[in-house]
Amino acid sequence: MGTSVLSLRMDGELLERLRDHAAKRGMSVQDYVVRTLMRNDFDERFQSAVEETERFHGVP
């Protein structure tokens, strides 16, 4: 799997908050944002799988 570039425009306040969150975890802002997006993507896919399983088993 290759990599691509994504540019974001955000206000200074948001960037500072992201820097703070990343620094607390010893990460760069880029790594923090990517991991956050990956975690959210996993959560959405997991929830979809749970819902599909419940529909399959007839759980209301």
Side-chain angles (χ1 to χ4, degrees):
M1 175 165 60
T3 61
S4 298
V5 174
L6 171 67
S7 296
L8 298 172
R9 185 179 303 254
M10 65 182 73
D11 66 19
E13 184 179 321
L14 176 58
L15 181 56
E16 283 306 312
R17 288 198 323 261
L18 289 173
R19 282 183 180 142
D20 289 343
H21 288 296
K24 288 176 185 175
R25 292 160 180 79
M27 302 169 73
S28 69
V29 172
Q30 178 178 333
D31 288 342
Y32 177 77
V33 170
V34 168
R35 285 190 182 198
T36 300
L37 291 171
M38 289 171 59
R39 184 179 64 236
N40 287 346
D41 178 61
F42 171 80
D43 290 347
E44 288 178 17
R45 288 183 292 126
F46 181 78
Q47 184 61 40
S48 293
V50 168
E51 291 168 358
E52 187 174 327
T53 300
E54 288 174 345
R55 278 193 303 274
F56 179 77
H57 291 289
V59 176

